[in-house]
Amino acid sequence: VYGFLDKYVSTPAAKSIEAKSLMNLNRSREAVAAMEVSWGMYNTGIDRGWIPAISIVDWFVDLKPLFKNGPEEGERMARRLASGKLTSEQQYGLANFYKEYGVQYVDKTIALIDESVNDSRTDTTMRANLLNLKGGYLVEVGKFEESKAVFKQLVEEFDSALVLNNYAYVVGVYMNEPEEGLILAKKAAKKAPRNPSIIDTVSELYQRTGNFVKAAEMLDYLVILDPSNAKAMAKLAILNSEQLKQPERGIIFAERARSISPRLPEVLDALGWSYFQLGREDKAKDYLQRSLREGETMNAYVHLAQVVTERREYDKALDYLRMAQELAEDSYSKDSITALKDDIRSIQVAIPE
């Protein structure tokens, strides 16, 4: 079968897919051989200018299924195929490869990135890509202070609205300094006033500083810029329903979002929470449970906890909040969930189930 397919495998990505298929059939030697061919095809394409040099990162993404027990053998294979020092793009791919194996490889991943960042052969674009990879990865592993330093370095080296936005988000959300983050995000918005991700950051930081009217205004503007952005509509629905005390308006936005993405967890959560604000507890619970069936989110667990608290199901509420806390990514969210837990325990003592 694979001999027949060889005639039609004309791209390096297709050859990598063949390698993964062979691995799934426990034909590991043939899988490794196919990945070696894929490596050659990628580099031929890069050398001849058919594909960009950064395309080699895809090869490393496809390498992981061949080395499920750890990345070391995969690294040895890549270095053997490179026959010398890796290019900055290959080094990026290798760092990303190690990143996928979990936090036990955090030091190795960062070392690979730093080695390439400090290599004189690395051009400006790849340096920015590598630093963005490092900053984002440090956020993933909870090293927020180090991530802040990386994004600050990026801001100082590169005049980019998106880089400044990333820095603002790390400062405002992960470092829990929303006032400072908001100043940075507004500077990014001045550089790129129609960029949806930047407008979303500004809205999030207005919300975290307690200015819910401005947060809603920014989301209104975002929906004008990007009318199909169902997640923005869902956020706007929750803001209107809860903080602005306009649940009817919230339901309008949530229903608009559902017409675009009917199974999106955030949309179903917004519908549930908006109906709860209207006192429609049964409908609220149904939508929130549907949201969690489509995909677990912190907000849906938090909202469902509050719905069942109204029914004096306190132990169930605390279970939902425990799951919400596991999904929380920043200290502000974790602290808010802890405060809600304390409130429910106080009610539980005063009014037993």
Side-chain angles (χ1 to χ4, degrees):
V1 173
Y2 285 96
F4 172 77
L5 287 176
D6 278 342
K7 299 177 184 178
Y8 300 95
V9 175
S10 58
T11 68
K15 200 66 181 175
S16 294
I17 291 170
E18 180 188 336
K20 290 188 288 185
S21 298
L22 287 164
M23 197 67 191
N24 288 336
L25 295 171
N26 294 319
R27 293 161 67 176
S28 58
R29 288 186 180 179
E30 292 167 86
V32 169
M35 283 303 287
E36 290 177 350
V37 173
S38 175
W39 173 275
M41 293 172 74
Y42 268 112
N43 285 284
T44 297
I46 290 166
D47 291 343
R48 295 182 180 179
W50 297 338
I51 55 176
I54 196 67
S55 300
I56 195 64
V57 172
D58 293 336
W59 183 86
F60 285 94
V61 172
D62 292 327
L63 188 63
K64 188 173 186 288
L66 275 67
F67 298 100
K68 295 178 180 178
N69 295 328
E72 293 84 2
E73 280 296 320
E75 179 184 3
R76 282 192 281 273
M77 176 181 176
R79 293 193 182 279
R80 173 175 56 81
L81 292 170
S83 301
K85 191 171 178 64
L86 299 179
T87 66
S88 56
E89 292 83 6
Q90 291 165 354
Q91 190 93 347
Y92 182 108
L94 183 60
N96 195 56
F97 175 67
Y98 265 93
K99 181 171 80 73
E100 294 303 308
Y101 284 88
V103 293
Q104 65 266 41
Y105 291 101
V106 61
D107 291 338
K108 174 70 174 182
T109 302
I110 297 302
L112 287 167
I113 294 170
D114 286 344
E115 180 185 346
S116 199
V117 166
N118 297 323
D119 189 332
S120 60
R121 300 178 307 157
T122 301
D123 65 26
T124 302
T125 300
M126 272 311 300
R127 181 177 171 82
N129 289 340
L130 286 156
L131 286 171
N132 267 305
L133 177 65
K134 180 180 179 180
Y137 182 49
L138 287 168
V139 166
E140 287 180 31
V141 298
K143 294 178 178 287
F144 302 131
E145 194 70 50
E146 293 176 44
S147 176
K148 179 182 177 182
V150 172
F151 282 113
K152 184 178 181 183
Q153 180 184 355
L154 271 163
V155 168
E156 290 169 351
E157 292 187 23
F158 302 95
D159 183 22
S160 164
L162 287 174
V163 166
L164 185 55
N165 183 60
N166 289 341
Y167 182 41
Y169 199 87
V170 169
V171 171
V173 175
Y174 293 111
M175 299 296 297
N176 200 18
E177 299 170 5
E179 292 84 3
E180 183 183 345
L182 181 58
I183 292 169
L184 295 167
K186 288 165 78 173
K187 287 180 181 177
K190 284 183 179 180
K191 290 176 178 285
R194 298 177 65 83
N195 184 285
S197 65
I198 293 174
I199 301 305
D200 185 63
T201 298
V202 174
S203 174
E204 178 67 28
L205 295 174
Y206 267 129
Q207 186 170 346
R208 290 186 182 228
T209 56
N211 194 336
F212 303 119
V213 172
K214 289 294 290 185
E217 286 177 3
M218 296 308 297
L219 287 174
D220 273 322
Y221 177 51
L222 174 51
V223 169
I224 291 170
L225 291 176
D226 186 5
S228 63
N229 193 325
K231 284 189 177 182
M233 288 180 203
K235 290 180 181 180
L236 194 50
I238 288 174
L239 264 174
N240 276 280
S241 297
E242 184 175 1
Q243 285 86 2
L244 300 181
K245 309 301 180 187
Q246 299 177 43
E248 295 89 351
R249 183 171 167 80
I251 288 171
I252 291 170
F253 281 113
E255 289 290 2
R256 278 179 59 189
R258 187 166 65 149
S259 71
I260 297 166
S261 299
R263 298 180 63 181
L264 193 67
E266 291 84 354
V267 168
L268 296 169
D269 170 52
L271 267 170
W273 192 236
S274 297
Y275 275 114
F276 180 69
Q277 300 301 318
L278 272 177
R280 306 273 300 275
E281 289 182 18
D282 288 340
K283 200 160 189 175
K285 186 176 181 182
D286 177 58
Y287 275 120
L288 292 169
Q289 289 175 331
R290 284 167 62 184
S291 171
L292 289 168
R293 285 197 294 271
E294 294 296 337
E296 292 182 309
T297 64
M298 180 194 75
N299 281 339
Y301 276 123
V302 168
H303 293 155
L304 191 54
Q306 291 173 83
V307 170
V308 299
T309 296
E310 286 294 309
R311 301 179 175 204
R312 298 188 180 184
E313 297 174 1
Y314 305 123
D315 288 337
K316 190 177 288 186
L318 292 170
D319 282 341
Y320 288 140
L321 290 177
R322 177 183 55 77
M323 289 183 275
Q325 202 142 33
E326 290 177 2
L327 294 170
E329 296 180 344
D330 59 90
S331 59
Y332 174 88
S333 299
K334 290 174 182 177
D335 291 346
S336 298
I337 294 168
T338 297
L340 190 53
K341 280 182 177 179
D342 291 341
D343 289 344
I344 291 171
R345 288 191 181 104
S346 297
I347 296 169
Q348 191 175 20
V349 170
I351 309 173
E353 293 185 45

